[in-house]
Amino acid sequence: MRLAKENKARVAISQWVINECVGAVQRKKNHNEYSDHEPFEIMTGIADMIEGKIEQIDLSLYPISEESIIASRTIILEIGCNTAADALHVYVADKSNCHYFVTADNSLADIMKRSSLRRKLITININEPNDILKLFSDFS
């Protein structure tokens, strides 16, 4: 987001990311990591952030169509990713001509770094300090 605010990068995400945020909040609530009112506040904050960022920076929120779901199936076979949601994220990044694929999913990052798409989509694992340094150095 910082690079996008500085007009150095465009951020592209699929609408599915919002569903994954909802799922993550629900899992934490189920494990009693949140009080009853916190999930609503968090989800409202995420929605406001995404909506606000679309207006403030170059952020593209891609709808998930039946066509993209069907087409993303080839990604499962091509790179051997673990979930249909991962394939959808990779598909959206590829089809929106992204240069970087940024993720906090260690497993997906490892798969992407070994995949046939690694030359087309540079994978940045935000859990890896060297990846973050590479991303920022590329934009310096």
Side-chain angles (χ1 to χ4, degrees), residues 13-105:
I13 61 172
S14 72
Q15 289 178 333
W16 192 256
V17 169
I18 298 169
N19 288 27
E20 289 189 337
C21 291
V22 171
V25 169
Q26 186 62 44
R27 278 190 301 279
K28 288 187 177 225
K29 183 180 180 223
N30 290 347
H31 289 100
N32 297 317
E33 295 178 43
Y34 292 138
S35 67
D36 286 339
H37 69 279
E38 281 179 301
F40 176 77
E41 291 173 9
I42 292 167
M43 291 314 306
T44 299
I46 290 169
D48 290 348
M49 179 192 73
I50 290 171
E51 209 171 272
K53 297 299 182 207
I54 289 171
E55 296 167 6
Q56 294 173 8
I57 64 171
D58 192 0
L59 187 146
S60 299
L61 185 62
Y62 286 87
I64 301 303
S65 64
E66 180 180 357
E67 177 185 321
S68 60
I69 292 169
I70 292 168
S72 71
R73 292 175 190 161
T74 60
I75 298 292
I76 297 170
L77 300 172
E78 185 176 343
I79 69 168
C81 61
N82 298 325
T83 69
D86 289 350
L88 194 55
H89 297 313
V90 173
Y91 175 80
V92 167
D94 184 35
K95 295 308 172 199
S96 61
N97 296 314
C98 291
H99 298 288
Y100 296 90
F101 184 80
V102 181
T103 183
D105 182 328

XYZ file of all heavy atoms in Angstrom, residues 13-105:
730
model
N -6.280 -6.661 -6.255
C -6.747 -7.766 -5.421
C -8.098 -8.239 -5.944
O -8.809 -7.496 -6.616
C -6.861 -7.392 -3.919
C -7.859 -6.253 -3.699
C -5.515 -7.041 -3.337
C -8.158 -5.957 -2.252
N -8.435 -9.457 -5.634
C -9.742 -9.972 -6.024
C -10.719 -9.757 -4.868
O -10.320 -9.623 -3.713
C -9.661 -11.464 -6.349
O -9.485 -12.224 -5.171
N -11.979 -9.731 -5.210
C -13.005 -9.598 -4.173
C -12.960 -10.770 -3.206
O -13.425 -10.654 -2.075
C -14.389 -9.474 -4.802
C -14.615 -8.154 -5.485
C -15.972 -8.083 -6.140
O -16.553 -9.089 -6.531
N -16.482 -6.873 -6.281
N -12.387 -11.876 -3.630
C -12.301 -13.052 -2.756
C -11.474 -12.770 -1.508
O -11.674 -13.379 -0.463
C -11.748 -14.253 -3.508
C -11.929 -15.505 -2.714
C -10.980 -16.185 -2.023
C -13.162 -16.180 -2.476
N -11.539 -17.259 -1.380
C -12.884 -17.272 -1.644
C -14.467 -15.971 -2.892
C -13.858 -18.158 -1.225
C -15.443 -16.854 -2.469
C -15.132 -17.925 -1.644
N -10.531 -11.836 -1.620
C -9.701 -11.472 -0.461
C -10.587 -11.021 0.703
O -10.309 -11.338 1.857
C -8.676 -10.380 -0.847
C -7.987 -9.803 0.366
C -7.661 -10.946 -1.818
N -11.651 -10.317 0.387
C -12.570 -9.867 1.442
C -13.192 -11.070 2.135
O -13.273 -11.115 3.366
C -13.643 -8.918 0.863
C -12.961 -7.662 0.299
C -14.676 -8.547 1.931
C -13.851 -6.780 -0.534
N -13.592 -12.077 1.356
C -14.156 -13.297 1.953
C -13.139 -13.978 2.854
O -13.487 -14.490 3.923
C -14.594 -14.275 0.865
C -15.834 -13.830 0.145
O -16.112 -12.643 0.067
N -16.568 -14.761 -0.404
N -11.875 -13.997 2.427
C -10.848 -14.619 3.254
C -10.639 -13.844 4.550
O -10.382 -14.441 5.593
C -9.548 -14.747 2.467
C -9.661 -15.803 1.396
C -8.344 -16.118 0.733
O -7.422 -15.279 0.761
O -8.235 -17.224 0.192
N -10.757 -12.535 4.499
C -10.662 -11.723 5.721
C -11.805 -12.066 6.676
O -11.586 -12.235 7.877
C -10.689 -10.232 5.390
S -9.211 -9.639 4.550
N -12.995 -12.201 6.130
C -14.154 -12.568 6.950
C -13.906 -13.932 7.593
O -14.137 -14.119 8.790
C -15.455 -12.587 6.111
C -16.612 -13.188 6.905
C -15.805 -11.184 5.635
N -13.411 -14.878 6.810
C -13.131 -16.214 7.336
C -12.076 -16.199 8.427
O -12.202 -16.893 9.440
N -11.026 -15.402 8.247
C -9.961 -15.317 9.256
C -10.495 -14.731 10.557
O -10.175 -15.229 11.647
C -8.809 -14.470 8.727
N -11.317 -13.704 10.441
C -11.899 -13.100 11.649
C -12.812 -14.104 12.346
O -12.771 -14.249 13.573
C -12.660 -11.801 11.287
C -13.494 -11.307 12.460
C -11.680 -10.721 10.828
N -13.596 -14.843 11.563
C -14.500 -15.830 12.156
C -13.729 -16.937 12.858
O -14.102 -17.372 13.951
C -15.424 -16.426 11.083
C -16.482 -17.356 11.642
C -17.429 -16.661 12.609
O -17.887 -15.562 12.367
N -17.714 -17.308 13.730
N -12.629 -17.397 12.251
C -11.814 -18.438 12.902
C -11.288 -17.947 14.249
O -11.303 -18.680 15.237
C -10.651 -18.850 11.995
C -11.024 -19.852 10.925
C -9.822 -20.413 10.205
N -8.996 -19.410 9.550
C -9.243 -18.862 8.367
N -10.322 -19.223 7.698
N -8.421 -17.961 7.843
N -10.813 -16.722 14.279
C -10.288 -16.178 15.539
C -11.409 -16.034 16.563
O -11.200 -16.276 17.751
C -9.583 -14.850 15.296
C -8.259 -15.050 14.592
C -7.483 -13.761 14.496
C -6.150 -14.051 13.853
N -5.065 -13.408 14.526
N -12.590 -15.651 16.108
C -13.728 -15.546 17.024
C -14.078 -16.931 17.573
O -14.332 -17.091 18.768
C -14.941 -14.940 16.322
C -16.114 -14.757 17.256
C -17.304 -14.153 16.561
C -18.419 -14.014 17.570
N -19.700 -14.396 17.055
N -14.063 -17.933 16.713
C -14.372 -19.302 17.136
C -13.368 -19.826 18.156
O -13.700 -20.683 18.960
C -14.417 -20.243 15.933
C -15.608 -19.987 15.046
O -16.548 -19.281 15.399
N -15.564 -20.541 13.844
N -12.143 -19.319 18.092
C -11.110 -19.719 19.050
C -11.029 -18.757 20.234
O -10.032 -18.729 20.961
C -9.742 -19.806 18.345
C -9.649 -20.959 17.413
N -9.801 -20.830 16.052
C -9.444 -22.279 17.646
C -9.679 -22.023 15.491
N -9.470 -22.919 16.434
N -12.084 -17.974 20.399
C -12.209 -17.027 21.518
C -11.057 -16.021 21.591
O -10.662 -15.590 22.665
C -12.336 -17.774 22.847
C -13.594 -18.612 22.889
O -14.666 -18.155 22.474
N -13.475 -19.831 23.361
N -10.534 -15.643 20.434
C -9.493 -14.624 20.391
C -10.089 -13.220 20.297
O -9.369 -12.243 20.430
C -8.552 -14.883 19.204
C -7.773 -16.187 19.345
C -6.891 -16.466 18.153
O -6.234 -15.531 17.666
O -6.856 -17.634 17.710
N -11.387 -13.147 20.043
C -12.093 -11.867 19.949
C -13.316 -11.893 20.845
O -13.923 -12.938 21.064
C -12.588 -11.607 18.524
C -11.536 -11.350 17.497
C -11.637 -11.919 16.227
C -10.446 -10.527 17.745
C -10.691 -11.679 15.252
C -9.490 -10.289 16.777
C -9.618 -10.860 15.535
O -8.685 -10.616 14.567
N -13.693 -10.718 21.297
C -14.970 -10.595 22.004
C -16.089 -10.603 20.967
O -15.836 -10.605 19.761
C -15.007 -9.288 22.806
O -15.010 -8.186 21.914
N -17.331 -10.579 21.422
C -18.467 -10.654 20.501
C -18.544 -9.471 19.544
O -18.963 -9.616 18.408
C -19.781 -10.766 21.282
C -19.964 -12.148 21.890
O -19.327 -13.102 21.398
O -20.736 -12.266 22.853
N -18.149 -8.279 19.979
C -18.285 -7.096 19.120
C -17.054 -6.824 18.248
O -17.147 -6.147 17.241
C -18.602 -5.859 19.965
C -17.467 -5.409 20.828
N -17.182 -5.992 22.034
C -16.535 -4.451 20.630
C -16.113 -5.408 22.547
N -15.695 -4.473 21.724
N -15.912 -7.383 18.594
C -14.683 -7.107 17.838
C -14.738 -7.548 16.375
O -14.281 -6.796 15.498
C -13.471 -7.752 18.522
C -12.965 -6.966 19.701
C -11.779 -7.638 20.362
O -11.918 -8.796 20.801
O -10.719 -6.990 20.409
N -15.279 -8.725 16.041
C -15.309 -9.111 14.622
C -16.034 -8.101 13.743
O -15.575 -7.781 12.649
C -16.038 -10.457 14.630
C -15.762 -11.010 15.981
C -15.754 -9.810 16.893
N -17.163 -7.586 14.220
C -17.898 -6.589 13.437
C -17.048 -5.343 13.226
O -16.981 -4.810 12.113
C -19.216 -6.230 14.133
C -19.967 -5.142 13.423
C -20.688 -5.435 12.267
C -19.934 -3.835 13.887
C -21.370 -4.418 11.592
C -20.607 -2.828 13.223
C -21.329 -3.130 12.072
N -16.375 -4.892 14.263
C -15.531 -3.703 14.154
C -14.372 -3.935 13.180
O -14.033 -3.064 12.376
C -14.983 -3.311 15.527
C -16.033 -2.782 16.476
C -15.495 -2.552 17.887
O -14.269 -2.646 18.089
O -16.319 -2.283 18.774
N -13.778 -5.107 13.241
C -12.662 -5.426 12.352
C -13.130 -5.472 10.898
O -12.499 -4.902 10.005
C -12.000 -6.759 12.764
C -11.298 -6.578 14.113
C -11.025 -7.247 11.695
C -10.875 -7.867 14.764
N -14.248 -6.144 10.649
C -14.744 -6.251 9.281
C -15.165 -4.895 8.736
O -14.932 -4.593 7.571
C -15.906 -7.248 9.206
C -15.484 -8.684 9.448
S -13.995 -9.201 8.547
C -14.396 -8.800 6.881
N -15.758 -4.074 9.553
C -16.110 -2.721 9.123
C -14.841 -1.950 8.775
O -14.780 -1.250 7.760
C -16.902 -1.990 10.232
O -18.104 -2.732 10.486
C -17.256 -0.577 9.814
N -13.800 -2.120 9.576
C -12.526 -1.461 9.312
C -11.893 -1.930 8.009
O -11.373 -1.119 7.237
N -11.956 -3.235 7.737
C -11.401 -3.770 6.489
C -12.166 -3.216 5.295
O -11.564 -2.764 4.310
C -11.418 -5.316 6.499
C -10.397 -5.844 7.508
C -11.135 -5.877 5.098
C -10.514 -7.332 7.786
N -13.484 -3.240 5.373
C -14.297 -2.721 4.266
C -14.022 -1.238 4.043
O -13.861 -0.798 2.897
C -15.781 -2.957 4.552
N -13.951 -0.480 5.123
C -13.667 0.951 4.999
C -12.279 1.188 4.407
O -12.088 2.085 3.577
C -13.765 1.647 6.358
C -15.192 1.742 6.871
O -16.134 1.483 6.084
O -15.374 2.059 8.067
N -11.310 0.381 4.842
C -9.954 0.538 4.340
C -9.897 0.267 2.841
O -9.361 1.064 2.077
C -8.995 -0.411 5.052
C -7.562 -0.293 4.541
S -6.483 -1.615 5.107
C -7.059 -2.985 4.127
N -10.503 -0.828 2.406
C -10.470 -1.173 0.989
C -11.209 -0.114 0.181
O -10.708 0.376 -0.827
C -11.054 -2.582 0.744
C -10.089 -3.631 1.312
C -11.311 -2.824 -0.736
C -10.642 -5.032 1.337
N -12.379 0.260 0.630
C -13.151 1.279 -0.066
C -12.391 2.603 -0.122
O -12.306 3.253 -1.151
C -14.492 1.471 0.648
C -15.597 1.924 -0.256
C -16.920 1.877 0.484
O -17.571 0.819 0.469
O -17.273 2.905 1.084
N -11.798 2.990 0.983
C -11.037 4.231 1.037
C -9.794 4.189 0.192
O -9.424 5.170 -0.459
N -9.116 3.041 0.155
C -7.886 2.924 -0.623
C -8.173 3.008 -2.110
O -7.361 3.515 -2.871
C -7.157 1.614 -0.318
C -6.687 1.480 1.100
C -5.704 2.552 1.484
C -5.241 2.342 2.903
N -4.816 3.517 3.578
N -9.319 2.517 -2.542
C -9.668 2.585 -3.954
C -9.702 4.049 -4.389
O -9.279 4.397 -5.484
C -11.008 1.873 -4.235
C -10.819 0.359 -4.096
C -11.553 2.224 -5.620
C -12.095 -0.446 -4.140
N -10.184 4.901 -3.519
C -10.270 6.321 -3.847
C -8.923 7.025 -3.696
O -8.631 7.968 -4.420
C -11.318 6.990 -2.957
C -12.718 6.461 -3.199
C -13.705 6.873 -2.132
O -13.349 7.675 -1.253
O -14.844 6.384 -2.179
N -8.086 6.599 -2.762
C -6.839 7.289 -2.452
C -5.659 6.842 -3.297
O -4.745 7.617 -3.548
C -6.465 7.072 -0.983
C -7.411 7.697 -0.009
C -7.052 7.289 1.419
O -6.025 6.671 1.672
N -7.914 7.635 2.353
N -5.641 5.597 -3.705
C -4.479 5.058 -4.413
C -4.941 4.273 -5.630
O -6.133 4.078 -5.840
C -3.628 4.134 -3.503
C -4.433 2.909 -3.085
C -3.080 4.880 -2.309
C -3.621 1.861 -2.373
N -4.005 3.806 -6.390
C -4.303 3.008 -7.571
C -4.528 1.567 -7.137
O -3.613 0.749 -7.158
C -3.149 3.118 -8.568
C -3.518 2.563 -9.930
O -4.661 2.101 -10.108
O -2.653 2.586 -10.821
N -5.734 1.266 -6.683
C -6.104 -0.075 -6.232
C -7.235 -0.591 -7.099
O -8.248 0.087 -7.261
C -6.538 -0.045 -4.764
C -6.801 -1.410 -4.124
C -6.392 -1.391 -2.664
C -8.242 -1.821 -4.241
N -7.047 -1.750 -7.688
C -8.077 -2.371 -8.508
C -8.641 -3.561 -7.752
O -7.896 -4.453 -7.354
C -7.494 -2.847 -9.838
O -6.969 -1.763 -10.562
N -9.938 -3.556 -7.563
C -10.635 -4.656 -6.896
C -11.340 -5.458 -7.977
O -12.268 -4.969 -8.616
C -11.626 -4.111 -5.868
C -12.362 -5.110 -5.006
C -11.376 -5.906 -4.151
C -13.360 -4.396 -4.103
N -10.856 -6.671 -8.222
C -11.371 -7.474 -9.318
C -12.540 -8.336 -8.876
O -12.439 -9.072 -7.901
C -10.268 -8.370 -9.889
C -9.279 -7.588 -10.700
C -8.192 -6.972 -10.097
C -9.458 -7.419 -12.063
C -7.299 -6.222 -10.836
C -8.577 -6.671 -12.804
C -7.500 -6.076 -12.184
O -6.625 -5.332 -12.917
N -13.644 -8.279 -9.629
C -14.784 -9.148 -9.320
C -14.449 -10.588 -9.669
O -13.607 -10.854 -10.520
C -15.897 -8.616 -10.229
C -15.200 -7.930 -11.345
C -13.885 -7.443 -10.797
N -15.089 -11.493 -8.986
C -14.889 -12.910 -9.254
C -16.073 -13.398 -10.076
O -17.190 -13.490 -9.589
C -14.765 -13.717 -7.944
C -13.591 -13.200 -7.136
C -14.621 -15.205 -8.238
C -12.258 -13.212 -7.850
N -15.786 -13.676 -11.320
C -16.827 -14.134 -12.237
C -16.739 -15.650 -12.393
O -15.731 -16.272 -12.041
C -16.646 -13.474 -13.603
O -15.416 -13.900 -14.179
N -17.780 -16.201 -12.953
C -17.765 -17.640 -13.248
C -16.610 -17.956 -14.199
O -15.914 -18.968 -14.042
C -19.095 -18.053 -13.877
C -19.175 -19.522 -14.222
C -20.507 -19.912 -14.836
O -21.406 -19.069 -14.960
O -20.629 -21.091 -15.213
N -16.367 -17.068 -15.143
C -15.279 -17.260 -16.104
C -13.916 -17.339 -15.403
O -13.103 -18.205 -15.716
C -15.273 -16.108 -17.102
C -14.143 -16.166 -18.104
C -14.120 -14.926 -18.979
O -15.198 -14.442 -19.365
O -13.009 -14.452 -19.269
N -13.689 -16.454 -14.439
C -12.393 -16.471 -13.754
C -12.238 -17.708 -12.874
O -11.141 -18.241 -12.745
C -12.153 -15.189 -12.953
O -13.140 -15.004 -11.977
N -13.320 -18.165 -12.296
C -13.262 -19.386 -11.488
C -12.906 -20.583 -12.368
O -12.016 -21.376 -12.038
C -14.590 -19.629 -10.739
C -14.774 -18.557 -9.663
C -14.640 -21.031 -10.131
C -16.147 -18.518 -9.039
N -13.569 -20.685 -13.507
C -13.295 -21.795 -14.422
C -11.868 -21.706 -14.956
O -11.131 -22.698 -14.965
C -14.335 -21.808 -15.570
C -15.714 -22.186 -14.998
C -13.908 -22.775 -16.681
C -16.871 -21.968 -15.954
N -11.456 -20.517 -15.368
C -10.115 -20.349 -15.940
C -9.016 -20.591 -14.906
O -7.935 -21.071 -15.254
C -9.983 -18.952 -16.539
N -9.295 -20.284 -13.647
C -8.267 -20.458 -12.612
C -7.956 -21.921 -12.331
O -6.928 -22.240 -11.739
C -8.675 -19.749 -11.319
O -9.745 -20.415 -10.678
N -8.805 -22.813 -12.790
C -8.552 -24.246 -12.588
C -7.238 -24.675 -13.226
O -6.561 -25.577 -12.713
C -9.700 -25.079 -13.161
C -10.994 -24.914 -12.415
C -12.112 -25.657 -13.106
N -13.382 -25.299 -12.502
C -14.560 -25.490 -13.082
N -14.625 -26.063 -14.282
N -15.662 -25.134 -12.478
N -6.886 -24.046 -14.322
C -5.628 -24.406 -14.988
C -4.431 -24.057 -14.105
O -3.397 -24.718 -14.181
C -5.484 -23.700 -16.352
O -5.498 -22.283 -16.139
C -6.602 -24.091 -17.294
N -4.565 -23.039 -13.266
C -3.483 -22.640 -12.361
C -3.216 -23.753 -11.351
O -2.068 -24.032 -11.014
C -3.804 -21.312 -11.644
C -3.962 -20.166 -12.645
C -2.772 -21.000 -10.576
C -2.695 -19.754 -13.360
N -4.275 -24.413 -10.882
C -4.113 -25.519 -9.930
C -3.195 -26.578 -10.534
O -2.261 -27.055 -9.889
C -5.473 -26.137 -9.537
C -6.345 -25.106 -8.812
C -5.279 -27.389 -8.684
C -7.785 -25.537 -8.606
N -3.453 -26.906 -11.784
C -2.641 -27.927 -12.463
C -1.263 -27.401 -12.837
O -0.270 -28.106 -12.727
C -3.373 -28.409 -13.723
C -4.748 -29.031 -13.473
C -5.460 -29.297 -14.796
C -4.627 -30.301 -12.659
N -1.208 -26.141 -13.280
C 0.055 -25.575 -13.755
C 1.089 -25.423 -12.652
O 2.253 -25.754 -12.831
C -0.212 -24.216 -14.413
C 1.002 -23.589 -15.036
C 0.694 -22.300 -15.756
O -0.484 -22.030 -16.061
O 1.644 -21.544 -16.012
N 0.664 -24.918 -11.487
C 1.653 -24.673 -10.427
C 1.519 -25.616 -9.250
O 2.369 -25.631 -8.371
C 1.627 -23.207 -9.945
C 0.344 -22.890 -9.177
C 1.838 -22.243 -11.094
C 0.395 -21.570 -8.430
N 0.433 -26.383 -9.201
C 0.255 -27.336 -8.109
C -0.096 -26.685 -6.792
O 0.337 -27.145 -5.733
N -0.895 -25.611 -6.847
C -1.252 -24.938 -5.588
C -2.238 -25.774 -4.782
O -2.868 -26.697 -5.295
C -1.770 -23.537 -5.835
S -3.233 -23.439 -6.832
N -2.354 -25.434 -3.506
C -3.101 -26.258 -2.567
C -4.603 -26.022 -2.550
O -5.352 -26.905 -2.176
C -2.553 -26.041 -1.146
C -1.114 -26.461 -1.036
O -0.683 -27.418 -1.656
N -0.341 -25.722 -0.258
N -5.038 -24.823 -2.899
C -6.465 -24.534 -2.803
C -6.958 -23.799 -4.043
O -6.192 -23.144 -4.753
C -6.799 -23.652 -1.578
O -6.281 -22.339 -1.787
C -6.252 -24.240 -0.282
N -8.271 -23.892 -4.256
C -8.884 -23.170 -5.367
C -8.772 -21.663 -5.149
O -8.603 -20.909 -6.108
C -10.343 -23.590 -5.500
N -8.837 -21.228 -3.902
C -8.707 -19.795 -3.613
C -7.315 -19.301 -3.991
O -7.161 -18.224 -4.572
C -8.996 -19.511 -2.144
N -6.277 -20.079 -3.687
C -4.920 -19.702 -4.083
C -4.831 -19.583 -5.596
O -4.245 -18.637 -6.126
C -3.901 -20.727 -3.595
C -3.686 -20.692 -2.091
O -4.176 -19.748 -1.432
O -3.025 -21.613 -1.579
N -5.408 -20.537 -6.309
C -5.394 -20.505 -7.773
C -6.087 -19.259 -8.291
O -5.627 -18.627 -9.250
C -6.064 -21.757 -8.333
N -7.157 -18.880 -7.648
C -7.896 -17.681 -8.052
C -7.046 -16.430 -7.863
O -6.993 -15.564 -8.744
C -9.191 -17.591 -7.240
C -10.243 -16.618 -7.712
C -10.633 -16.862 -9.148
C -11.457 -16.727 -6.807
N -6.338 -16.338 -6.749
C -5.469 -15.177 -6.508
C -4.353 -15.101 -7.557
O -4.063 -14.033 -8.092
C -4.851 -15.230 -5.112
C -5.844 -15.160 -4.007
N -6.865 -14.235 -3.980
C -5.972 -15.897 -2.886
C -7.577 -14.417 -2.889
N -7.059 -15.420 -2.205
N -3.750 -16.236 -7.843
C -2.672 -16.272 -8.838
C -3.225 -15.918 -10.215
O -2.621 -15.137 -10.958
C -1.973 -17.648 -8.852
C -0.978 -17.749 -9.998
C -1.299 -17.910 -7.508
N -4.386 -16.451 -10.550
C -5.009 -16.169 -11.840
C -5.276 -14.675 -11.997
O -4.939 -14.085 -13.029
C -6.314 -16.971 -11.986
C -7.070 -16.638 -13.243
C -6.687 -17.199 -14.465
C -8.139 -15.758 -13.218
C -7.380 -16.879 -15.629
C -8.830 -15.435 -14.374
C -8.443 -15.993 -15.577
O -9.120 -15.672 -16.729
N -5.857 -14.058 -10.985
C -6.150 -12.619 -11.051
C -4.860 -11.821 -11.212
O -4.790 -10.896 -12.024
C -6.954 -12.154 -9.811
C -6.993 -10.647 -9.699
C -8.372 -12.711 -9.864
N -3.831 -12.173 -10.466
C -2.546 -11.470 -10.577
C -1.966 -11.622 -11.980
O -1.490 -10.646 -12.576
C -1.560 -11.995 -9.534
N -2.034 -12.815 -12.512
C -1.492 -13.072 -13.842
C -2.281 -12.313 -14.913
O -1.701 -11.626 -15.750
C -1.510 -14.577 -14.117
C -0.887 -14.941 -15.443
O 0.094 -14.284 -15.851
O -1.381 -15.887 -16.080
N -3.580 -12.403 -14.865
C -4.418 -11.789 -15.895
C -4.488 -10.263 -15.780
O -4.830 -9.594 -16.745
C -5.834 -12.381 -15.890
C -5.850 -13.843 -16.264
C -5.117 -14.098 -17.564
C -4.951 -15.563 -17.858
N -3.916 -15.855 -18.814
N -4.165 -9.721 -14.635
C -4.159 -8.258 -14.496
C -2.762 -7.690 -14.745
O -2.494 -6.529 -14.476
C -4.705 -7.844 -13.133
O -3.910 -8.371 -12.096
N -1.877 -8.553 -15.265
C -0.520 -8.142 -15.646
C 0.299 -7.582 -14.493
O 1.076 -6.643 -14.675
C -0.559 -7.156 -16.811
C -1.131 -7.789 -18.055
O -0.756 -8.905 -18.407
N -2.056 -7.109 -18.695
N 0.139 -8.178 -13.336
C 0.951 -7.776 -12.189
C 2.386 -8.259 -12.403
O 2.614 -9.266 -13.064
C 0.405 -8.387 -10.895
S -1.177 -7.714 -10.398
N 3.317 -7.534 -11.841
C 4.720 -7.947 -11.898
C 5.115 -8.689 -10.627
O 6.056 -9.468 -10.624
C 5.635 -6.738 -12.083
C 5.360 -6.019 -13.359
N 5.700 -6.531 -14.588
C 4.750 -4.842 -13.603
C 5.318 -5.696 -15.534
N 4.741 -4.666 -14.956
N 4.390 -8.421 -9.532
C 4.688 -9.018 -8.237
C 3.443 -9.708 -7.712
O 2.325 -9.257 -7.916
C 5.120 -7.951 -7.221
C 6.405 -7.279 -7.597
C 6.415 -6.137 -8.386
C 7.631 -7.793 -7.162
C 7.596 -5.524 -8.751
C 8.820 -7.186 -7.520
C 8.798 -6.050 -8.314
O 9.965 -5.466 -8.670
N 3.676 -10.808 -7.012
C 2.612 -11.513 -6.302
C 2.996 -11.464 -4.833
O 3.972 -12.092 -4.422
C 2.508 -12.965 -6.791
C 1.373 -13.712 -6.169
C 0.083 -13.554 -6.643
C 1.593 -14.567 -5.105
C -0.975 -14.229 -6.055
C 0.551 -15.257 -4.513
C -0.736 -15.083 -4.995
N 2.246 -10.701 -4.048
C 2.574 -10.486 -2.641
C 1.635 -11.329 -1.790
O 0.417 -11.279 -1.960
C 2.452 -8.987 -2.269
C 2.808 -8.765 -0.813
C 3.343 -8.140 -3.185
N 2.219 -12.097 -0.874
C 1.414 -12.995 -0.046
C 2.030 -13.141 1.343
O 3.226 -12.928 1.523
C 1.288 -14.387 -0.710
O 0.435 -15.221 0.087
C 2.631 -15.069 -0.882
N 1.189 -13.517 2.290
C 1.656 -13.864 3.631
C 1.549 -15.372 3.843
O 1.806 -15.870 4.929
C 0.834 -13.127 4.691
N 1.165 -16.088 2.806
C 0.995 -17.535 2.861
C 2.328 -18.189 2.483
O 2.705 -18.220 1.302
C -0.122 -17.939 1.899
C -0.428 -19.422 1.899
O 0.496 -20.242 2.115
O -1.597 -19.775 1.646
